Amino acid sequence: MDESNQFEQHRLLLSQVAEGSEPAFAALYAMYKNSVYNTALSYLQNTVEAEDVTQDVFVKIHASAAFFQGKSSVKTWIYRITINHTLDQLRHKKRQKRFGDFVQLFQPGGTNPSLDIPDFDHPGVLLDQKEDARIVFKAIALLPEQQKTAFILAFIEDLPRQEVALVMNVSIKAVESLLQRAKKNLRSSLDFLLPDRRV
Amino acid sequence: MNENWKDDVLNCVTGISKAEPNSLLYHTIREKIIYNARMKPSVVKKPYLALAAACLALVLTANIWIFNQSNVTSSLPTDYPIDLANFNLY
């Protein structure tokens, strides 16, 4: 199936979802569940939170299917909803962490491990690469939002640069620049996250 | 300094295989959608709301106008002065 056909098929499915068709919603879910879940997982680095976001994203897709204007492809629209929702979730987590740090100031010696960023093992990573992947995900978590989005979409989700630009609503040149800066920041993060590898 | 090791480390996440969400997630989503639909307050669509507001404004304006008109007529002198003769018609 060529791209424009697929584009139209997905649009048709979404209009059927807007009319209340359950099979259309099930088909749309089957097509995009992995993209939504894996994108959320790369940002949040927590399977339970990623599933919560996936749930919220599909509820939102169902609720706003009637308002889809067709200015972008369904895929781009779904990625945008996912990223916006995930970034909101991340900001909420950061606020919680800041509050936790503030509370800790008044509790000397007390720790709140639930608010720390734990080691994350992505289920899709090969066993012999798990250690390195854990470090890379830690470094990704330290990136600024825009660089993080560009890196996740381009390298982990493996989207073409043009699609990344559409999802992020920026030019392809801007995506390239974000990716360069992201890689530069990741490399410098690796220096202190993996000091024993510096030869 | 040789920096290739950093690229090797970074490449380990490039195009990693996709993880699958819990197989029961779809049912949870359906349940949430049904729950939301039940809990959703009945929302009046904007055009109907505007029409209702316009009707209300029209009724209010008409009431005020009628009230003013009745004040004007009551302040005018009566055409038929009420005298004893008018009460003795029957």
Side-chain angles (χ1 to χ4, degrees):
Chain A
M1 190 188 294
D2 66 14
E3 206 166 284
S4 63
N5 242 349
Q6 199 183 37
F7 189 88
E8 277 310 308
Q9 193 209 357
H10 290 196
R11 193 174 279 197
L12 187 72
L13 268 180
L14 199 64
S15 62
Q16 286 169 343
V17 170
E19 286 161 11
S21 161
E22 199 186 324
F25 184 68
L28 204 71
Y29 174 79
M31 279 173 195
Y32 289 107
K33 64 173 181 178
N34 284 353
S35 302
V36 172
Y37 176 67
N38 282 274
T39 306
L41 193 61
S42 300
Y43 279 98
L44 296 163
Q45 305 186 5
N46 180 305
T47 50
V48 177
E49 286 172 12
E51 279 190 354
D52 285 346
V53 165
T54 308
Q55 182 181 318
D56 292 344
V57 166
F58 277 99
V59 170
K60 199 167 184 180
I61 288 169
H62 189 273
S64 38
F67 306 108
F68 177 68
Q69 292 174 330
K71 286 178 185 168
S72 60
S73 70
V74 174
K75 189 179 181 183
T76 304
W77 183 67
I78 290 177
Y79 265 115
R80 276 187 195 154
I81 294 176
T82 308
I83 290 164
N84 287 338
H85 194 78
T86 313
L87 287 175
D88 282 347
Q89 192 74 16
L90 267 183
R91 287 179 203 130
H92 176 72
K93 265 175 82 175
K94 265 184 193 167
R95 275 199 299 275
Q96 267 191 322
K97 190 182 180 323
R98 269 202 294 270
F99 179 71
D101 292 343
F102 179 73
V103 169
Q104 267 189 336
L105 287 175
F106 302 99
Q107 295 171 333
T111 53
N112 194 345
S114 65
L115 295 169
D116 290 334
I117 303 168
D119 283 342
F120 169 63
D121 284 326
H122 192 289
V125 175
L126 296 171
L127 196 66
D128 57 333
Q129 291 183 324
K130 277 211 185 293
E131 189 61 41
D132 283 352
R134 204 177 288 162
I135 300 296
V136 176
F137 275 109
K138 241 179 197 167
I140 290 172
L142 298 170
L143 287 175
E145 275 181 8
Q146 286 279 86
Q147 292 176 30
K148 195 186 288 181
T149 302
F151 188 85
I152 288 172
L153 293 180
F155 293 112
I156 302 178
E157 282 300 299
D158 226 3
L159 293 186
R161 301 288 191 272
Q162 198 184 354
E163 218 161 335
V164 177
L166 284 171
V167 172
M168 294 183 75
N169 209 11
V170 294
S171 66
I172 297 178
K173 232 177 174 181
V175 171
E176 292 294 352
S177 157
L178 282 168
L179 287 174
Q180 267 183 2
R181 278 184 281 154
K183 277 194 164 184
K184 193 180 165 203
N185 284 334
L186 288 172
R187 282 197 187 99
S188 42
S189 295
L190 289 181
D191 270 333
F192 71 83
L193 289 169
L194 285 170
D196 52 319
R197 299 254 186 117
R198 292 170 73 177
V199 188
Chain B
M1 194 191 289
N2 187 3
E3 300 267 296
N4 286 345
W5 69 269
K6 290 181 186 173
D7 289 325
D8 292 340
V9 173
L10 287 179
N11 283 339
C12 76
V13 293
T14 305
I16 48 176
S17 56
K18 301 244 178 189
E20 291 249 351
N22 189 325
S23 56
L24 294 174
L25 190 64
Y26 178 73
H27 300 287
T28 320
I29 292 167
R30 283 298 312 168
E31 276 169 20
K32 197 168 179 181
I33 288 169
I34 292 164
Y35 176 81
N36 284 355
R38 276 190 197 144
M39 288 294 149
K40 197 172 141 189
S42 55
V43 179
V44 182
K45 284 181 182 172
K46 260 188 185 171
Y48 296 114
L49 204 67
L51 189 70
C55 287
L56 188 72
L58 195 71
V59 167
L60 279 174
T61 315
N63 270 305
I64 291 166
W65 184 79
I66 289 165
F67 181 73
N68 286 340
Q69 285 300 107
S70 66
N71 278 350
V72 168
T73 48
S74 64
S75 64
L76 287 173
T78 51
D79 290 341
Y80 301 100
I82 300 165
D83 52 24
L84 197 63
N86 291 327
F87 286 105
N88 293 331
L89 288 173
Y90 303 102

PDB file of all heavy atoms in Angstrom, chain A residues 91-113:
ATOM      1  N   ARG A  91       6.677  17.220  33.149  1.00  0.00           N
ATOM      2  CA  ARG A  91       6.711  18.488  33.904  1.00  0.00           C
ATOM      3  C   ARG A  91       6.079  18.291  35.278  1.00  0.00           C
ATOM      4  O   ARG A  91       6.574  18.810  36.277  1.00  0.00           O
ATOM      5  CB  ARG A  91       5.965  19.583  33.128  1.00  0.00           C
ATOM      6  CG  ARG A  91       6.762  20.061  31.927  1.00  0.00           C
ATOM      7  CD  ARG A  91       6.006  21.119  31.145  1.00  0.00           C
ATOM      8  NE  ARG A  91       6.513  21.149  29.776  1.00  0.00           N
ATOM      9  CZ  ARG A  91       5.757  21.110  28.691  1.00  0.00           C
ATOM     10  NH1 ARG A  91       4.457  21.042  28.776  1.00  0.00           N
ATOM     11  NH2 ARG A  91       6.300  21.135  27.495  1.00  0.00           N
ATOM     12  N   HIS A  92       4.993  17.505  35.292  1.00  0.00           N
ATOM     13  CA  HIS A  92       4.323  17.220  36.565  1.00  0.00           C
ATOM     14  C   HIS A  92       5.270  16.464  37.505  1.00  0.00           C
ATOM     15  O   HIS A  92       5.378  16.764  38.693  1.00  0.00           O
ATOM     16  CB  HIS A  92       3.058  16.400  36.290  1.00  0.00           C
ATOM     17  CG  HIS A  92       2.335  15.961  37.515  1.00  0.00           C
ATOM     18  ND1 HIS A  92       1.628  16.841  38.294  1.00  0.00           N
ATOM     19  CD2 HIS A  92       2.226  14.740  38.116  1.00  0.00           C
ATOM     20  CE1 HIS A  92       1.114  16.172  39.317  1.00  0.00           C
ATOM     21  NE2 HIS A  92       1.456  14.903  39.231  1.00  0.00           N
ATOM     22  N   LYS A  93       6.012  15.506  36.916  1.00  0.00           N
ATOM     23  CA  LYS A  93       6.965  14.729  37.713  1.00  0.00           C
ATOM     24  C   LYS A  93       8.073  15.628  38.263  1.00  0.00           C
ATOM     25  O   LYS A  93       8.512  15.481  39.387  1.00  0.00           O
ATOM     26  CB  LYS A  93       7.600  13.633  36.836  1.00  0.00           C
ATOM     27  CG  LYS A  93       6.893  12.298  36.944  1.00  0.00           C
ATOM     28  CD  LYS A  93       7.460  11.293  35.995  1.00  0.00           C
ATOM     29  CE  LYS A  93       8.700  10.624  36.483  1.00  0.00           C
ATOM     30  NZ  LYS A  93       9.183   9.547  35.600  1.00  0.00           N
ATOM     31  N   LYS A  94       8.524  16.573  37.400  1.00  0.00           N
ATOM     32  CA  LYS A  94       9.589  17.488  37.813  1.00  0.00           C
ATOM     33  C   LYS A  94       9.130  18.368  38.964  1.00  0.00           C
ATOM     34  O   LYS A  94       9.883  18.624  39.900  1.00  0.00           O
ATOM     35  CB  LYS A  94      10.016  18.370  36.623  1.00  0.00           C
ATOM     36  CG  LYS A  94      11.205  17.809  35.887  1.00  0.00           C
ATOM     37  CD  LYS A  94      11.647  18.753  34.809  1.00  0.00           C
ATOM     38  CE  LYS A  94      12.624  18.056  33.881  1.00  0.00           C
ATOM     39  NZ  LYS A  94      12.847  18.809  32.666  1.00  0.00           N
ATOM     40  N   ARG A  95       7.870  18.837  38.851  1.00  0.00           N
ATOM     41  CA  ARG A  95       7.316  19.672  39.926  1.00  0.00           C
ATOM     42  C   ARG A  95       7.255  18.885  41.225  1.00  0.00           C
ATOM     43  O   ARG A  95       7.612  19.381  42.285  1.00  0.00           O
ATOM     44  CB  ARG A  95       5.908  20.150  39.544  1.00  0.00           C
ATOM     45  CG  ARG A  95       5.890  21.402  38.690  1.00  0.00           C
ATOM     46  CD  ARG A  95       4.521  22.071  38.756  1.00  0.00           C
ATOM     47  NE  ARG A  95       3.459  21.210  38.257  1.00  0.00           N
ATOM     48  CZ  ARG A  95       3.112  21.096  36.985  1.00  0.00           C
ATOM     49  NH1 ARG A  95       3.761  21.787  36.062  1.00  0.00           N
ATOM     50  NH2 ARG A  95       2.124  20.308  36.615  1.00  0.00           N
ATOM     51  N   GLN A  96       6.842  17.608  41.105  1.00  0.00           N
ATOM     52  CA  GLN A  96       6.765  16.740  42.285  1.00  0.00           C
ATOM     53  C   GLN A  96       8.144  16.559  42.902  1.00  0.00           C
ATOM     54  O   GLN A  96       8.310  16.579  44.110  1.00  0.00           O
ATOM     55  CB  GLN A  96       6.237  15.373  41.873  1.00  0.00           C
ATOM     56  CG  GLN A  96       4.737  15.230  41.997  1.00  0.00           C
ATOM     57  CD  GLN A  96       4.322  13.781  41.842  1.00  0.00           C
ATOM     58  OE1 GLN A  96       4.885  13.052  41.023  1.00  0.00           O
ATOM     59  NE2 GLN A  96       3.334  13.370  42.592  1.00  0.00           N
ATOM     60  N   LYS A  97       9.145  16.398  42.001  1.00  0.00           N
ATOM     61  CA  LYS A  97      10.511  16.175  42.469  1.00  0.00           C
ATOM     62  C   LYS A  97      11.027  17.424  43.196  1.00  0.00           C
ATOM     63  O   LYS A  97      11.636  17.328  44.249  1.00  0.00           O
ATOM     64  CB  LYS A  97      11.428  15.834  41.295  1.00  0.00           C
ATOM     65  CG  LYS A  97      12.795  15.353  41.733  1.00  0.00           C
ATOM     66  CD  LYS A  97      13.677  15.075  40.553  1.00  0.00           C
ATOM     67  CE  LYS A  97      15.058  14.588  40.954  1.00  0.00           C
ATOM     68  NZ  LYS A  97      15.633  15.185  42.141  1.00  0.00           N
ATOM     69  N   ARG A  98      10.733  18.596  42.595  1.00  0.00           N
ATOM     70  CA  ARG A  98      11.154  19.851  43.222  1.00  0.00           C
ATOM     71  C   ARG A  98      10.520  19.997  44.604  1.00  0.00           C
ATOM     72  O   ARG A  98      11.158  20.398  45.561  1.00  0.00           O
ATOM     73  CB  ARG A  98      10.758  21.037  42.332  1.00  0.00           C
ATOM     74  CG  ARG A  98      11.853  21.432  41.351  1.00  0.00           C
ATOM     75  CD  ARG A  98      11.680  22.858  40.896  1.00  0.00           C
ATOM     76  NE  ARG A  98      10.465  23.018  40.108  1.00  0.00           N
ATOM     77  CZ  ARG A  98      10.402  22.881  38.796  1.00  0.00           C
ATOM     78  NH1 ARG A  98      11.482  22.587  38.123  1.00  0.00           N
ATOM     79  NH2 ARG A  98       9.274  23.057  38.148  1.00  0.00           N
ATOM     80  N   PHE A  99       9.224  19.644  44.685  1.00  0.00           N
ATOM     81  CA  PHE A  99       8.520  19.721  45.960  1.00  0.00           C
ATOM     82  C   PHE A  99       9.149  18.746  46.957  1.00  0.00           C
ATOM     83  O   PHE A  99       9.354  19.080  48.120  1.00  0.00           O
ATOM     84  CB  PHE A  99       7.028  19.399  45.764  1.00  0.00           C
ATOM     85  CG  PHE A  99       6.234  19.446  47.037  1.00  0.00           C
ATOM     86  CD1 PHE A  99       5.966  20.663  47.656  1.00  0.00           C
ATOM     87  CD2 PHE A  99       5.779  18.282  47.635  1.00  0.00           C
ATOM     88  CE1 PHE A  99       5.240  20.702  48.836  1.00  0.00           C
ATOM     89  CE2 PHE A  99       5.053  18.321  48.817  1.00  0.00           C
ATOM     90  CZ  PHE A  99       4.787  19.534  49.420  1.00  0.00           C
ATOM     91  N   GLY A 100       9.498  17.542  46.448  1.00  0.00           N
ATOM     92  CA  GLY A 100      10.139  16.534  47.302  1.00  0.00           C
ATOM     93  C   GLY A 100      11.476  17.032  47.824  1.00  0.00           C
ATOM     94  O   GLY A 100      11.787  16.870  49.007  1.00  0.00           O
ATOM     95  N   ASP A 101      12.248  17.670  46.930  1.00  0.00           N
ATOM     96  CA  ASP A 101      13.556  18.224  47.339  1.00  0.00           C
ATOM     97  C   ASP A 101      13.375  19.306  48.405  1.00  0.00           C
ATOM     98  O   ASP A 101      14.137  19.400  49.353  1.00  0.00           O
ATOM     99  CB  ASP A 101      14.281  18.823  46.126  1.00  0.00           C
ATOM    100  CG  ASP A 101      14.708  17.736  45.142  1.00  0.00           C
ATOM    101  OD1 ASP A 101      14.727  16.555  45.544  1.00  0.00           O
ATOM    102  OD2 ASP A 101      15.016  18.073  43.987  1.00  0.00           O
ATOM    103  N   PHE A 102      12.311  20.121  48.199  1.00  0.00           N
ATOM    104  CA  PHE A 102      12.032  21.208  49.136  1.00  0.00           C
ATOM    105  C   PHE A 102      11.669  20.645  50.514  1.00  0.00           C
ATOM    106  O   PHE A 102      12.164  21.114  51.533  1.00  0.00           O
ATOM    107  CB  PHE A 102      10.885  22.067  48.584  1.00  0.00           C
ATOM    108  CG  PHE A 102      10.482  23.204  49.471  1.00  0.00           C
ATOM    109  CD1 PHE A 102      11.297  24.323  49.602  1.00  0.00           C
ATOM    110  CD2 PHE A 102       9.292  23.164  50.182  1.00  0.00           C
ATOM    111  CE1 PHE A 102      10.930  25.370  50.423  1.00  0.00           C
ATOM    112  CE2 PHE A 102       8.919  24.203  51.006  1.00  0.00           C
ATOM    113  CZ  PHE A 102       9.731  25.323  51.138  1.00  0.00           C
ATOM    114  N   VAL A 103      10.830  19.607  50.503  1.00  0.00           N
ATOM    115  CA  VAL A 103      10.418  18.978  51.758  1.00  0.00           C
ATOM    116  C   VAL A 103      11.631  18.365  52.459  1.00  0.00           C
ATOM    117  O   VAL A 103      11.779  18.453  53.672  1.00  0.00           O
ATOM    118  CB  VAL A 103       9.319  17.907  51.497  1.00  0.00           C
ATOM    119  CG1 VAL A 103       9.065  17.046  52.722  1.00  0.00           C
ATOM    120  CG2 VAL A 103       8.022  18.586  51.068  1.00  0.00           C
ATOM    121  N   GLN A 104      12.526  17.783  51.636  1.00  0.00           N
ATOM    122  CA  GLN A 104      13.720  17.133  52.198  1.00  0.00           C
ATOM    123  C   GLN A 104      14.611  18.118  52.951  1.00  0.00           C
ATOM    124  O   GLN A 104      15.323  17.732  53.869  1.00  0.00           O
ATOM    125  CB  GLN A 104      14.527  16.481  51.085  1.00  0.00           C
ATOM    126  CG  GLN A 104      14.155  15.017  50.888  1.00  0.00           C
ATOM    127  CD  GLN A 104      15.101  14.330  49.953  1.00  0.00           C
ATOM    128  OE1 GLN A 104      15.744  14.983  49.129  1.00  0.00           O
ATOM    129  NE2 GLN A 104      15.205  13.039  50.064  1.00  0.00           N
ATOM    130  N   LEU A 105      14.560  19.407  52.545  1.00  0.00           N
ATOM    131  CA  LEU A 105      15.368  20.421  53.221  1.00  0.00           C
ATOM    132  C   LEU A 105      15.033  20.481  54.704  1.00  0.00           C
ATOM    133  O   LEU A 105      15.865  20.805  55.535  1.00  0.00           O
ATOM    134  CB  LEU A 105      15.116  21.800  52.596  1.00  0.00           C
ATOM    135  CG  LEU A 105      15.707  22.057  51.215  1.00  0.00           C
ATOM    136  CD1 LEU A 105      15.245  23.411  50.704  1.00  0.00           C
ATOM    137  CD2 LEU A 105      17.230  22.023  51.275  1.00  0.00           C
ATOM    138  N   PHE A 106      13.737  20.178  55.020  1.00  0.00           N
ATOM    139  CA  PHE A 106      13.290  20.252  56.408  1.00  0.00           C
ATOM    140  C   PHE A 106      13.365  18.900  57.112  1.00  0.00           C
ATOM    141  O   PHE A 106      12.972  18.759  58.250  1.00  0.00           O
ATOM    142  CB  PHE A 106      11.854  20.804  56.461  1.00  0.00           C
ATOM    143  CG  PHE A 106      11.751  22.156  55.835  1.00  0.00           C
ATOM    144  CD1 PHE A 106      11.287  22.289  54.533  1.00  0.00           C
ATOM    145  CD2 PHE A 106      12.162  23.294  56.519  1.00  0.00           C
ATOM    146  CE1 PHE A 106      11.210  23.534  53.937  1.00  0.00           C
ATOM    147  CE2 PHE A 106      12.081  24.541  55.921  1.00  0.00           C
ATOM    148  CZ  PHE A 106      11.608  24.657  54.635  1.00  0.00           C
ATOM    149  N   GLN A 107      13.806  17.873  56.357  1.00  0.00           N
ATOM    150  CA  GLN A 107      13.941  16.545  56.965  1.00  0.00           C
ATOM    151  C   GLN A 107      15.362  16.049  56.727  1.00  0.00           C
ATOM    152  O   GLN A 107      15.594  15.291  55.793  1.00  0.00           O
ATOM    153  CB  GLN A 107      12.954  15.553  56.345  1.00  0.00           C
ATOM    154  CG  GLN A 107      11.501  15.885  56.610  1.00  0.00           C
ATOM    155  CD  GLN A 107      10.557  15.010  55.815  1.00  0.00           C
ATOM    156  OE1 GLN A 107      10.890  14.513  54.747  1.00  0.00           O
ATOM    157  NE2 GLN A 107       9.366  14.823  56.344  1.00  0.00           N
ATOM    158  N   PRO A 108      16.316  16.524  57.520  1.00  0.00           N
ATOM    159  CA  PRO A 108      17.712  16.121  57.276  1.00  0.00           C
ATOM    160  C   PRO A 108      17.890  14.606  57.388  1.00  0.00           C
ATOM    161  O   PRO A 108      17.356  13.982  58.299  1.00  0.00           O
ATOM    162  CB  PRO A 108      18.496  16.864  58.363  1.00  0.00           C
ATOM    163  CG  PRO A 108      17.497  17.365  59.328  1.00  0.00           C
ATOM    164  CD  PRO A 108      16.167  17.396  58.673  1.00  0.00           C
ATOM    165  N   GLY A 109      18.558  14.059  56.397  1.00  0.00           N
ATOM    166  CA  GLY A 109      18.799  12.612  56.412  1.00  0.00           C
ATOM    167  C   GLY A 109      17.701  11.822  55.744  1.00  0.00           C
ATOM    168  O   GLY A 109      17.871  10.664  55.388  1.00  0.00           O
ATOM    169  N   GLY A 110      16.546  12.431  55.547  1.00  0.00           N
ATOM    170  CA  GLY A 110      15.425  11.723  54.930  1.00  0.00           C
ATOM    171  C   GLY A 110      15.563  11.674  53.427  1.00  0.00           C
ATOM    172  O   GLY A 110      16.042  12.628  52.825  1.00  0.00           O
ATOM    173  N   THR A 111      15.172  10.577  52.818  1.00  0.00           N
ATOM    174  CA  THR A 111      15.224  10.466  51.357  1.00  0.00           C
ATOM    175  C   THR A 111      13.852  10.072  50.830  1.00  0.00           C
ATOM    176  O   THR A 111      13.051   9.489  51.548  1.00  0.00           O
ATOM    177  CB  THR A 111      16.239   9.394  50.896  1.00  0.00           C
ATOM    178  OG1 THR A 111      15.929   8.182  51.567  1.00  0.00           O
ATOM    179  CG2 THR A 111      17.667   9.795  51.160  1.00  0.00           C
ATOM    180  N   ASN A 112      13.612  10.384  49.592  1.00  0.00           N
ATOM    181  CA  ASN A 112      12.349  10.007  48.960  1.00  0.00           C
ATOM    182  C   ASN A 112      12.681   9.296  47.651  1.00  0.00           C
ATOM    183  O   ASN A 112      12.695   9.913  46.581  1.00  0.00           O
ATOM    184  CB  ASN A 112      11.506  11.261  48.702  1.00  0.00           C
ATOM    185  CG  ASN A 112      10.081  10.897  48.365  1.00  0.00           C
ATOM    186  OD1 ASN A 112       9.791   9.749  48.051  1.00  0.00           O
ATOM    187  ND2 ASN A 112       9.198  11.879  48.419  1.00  0.00           N
ATOM    188  N   PRO A 113      12.976   7.981  47.731  1.00  0.00           N
ATOM    189  CA  PRO A 113      13.453   7.280  46.550  1.00  0.00           C
ATOM    190  C   PRO A 113      12.447   7.251  45.407  1.00  0.00           C
ATOM    191  O   PRO A 113      12.833   7.142  44.258  1.00  0.00           O
ATOM    192  CB  PRO A 113      13.720   5.859  47.052  1.00  0.00           C
ATOM    193  CG  PRO A 113      13.050   5.753  48.367  1.00  0.00           C
ATOM    194  CD  PRO A 113      12.853   7.117  48.891  1.00  0.00           C
TER     195      PRO A 113
END
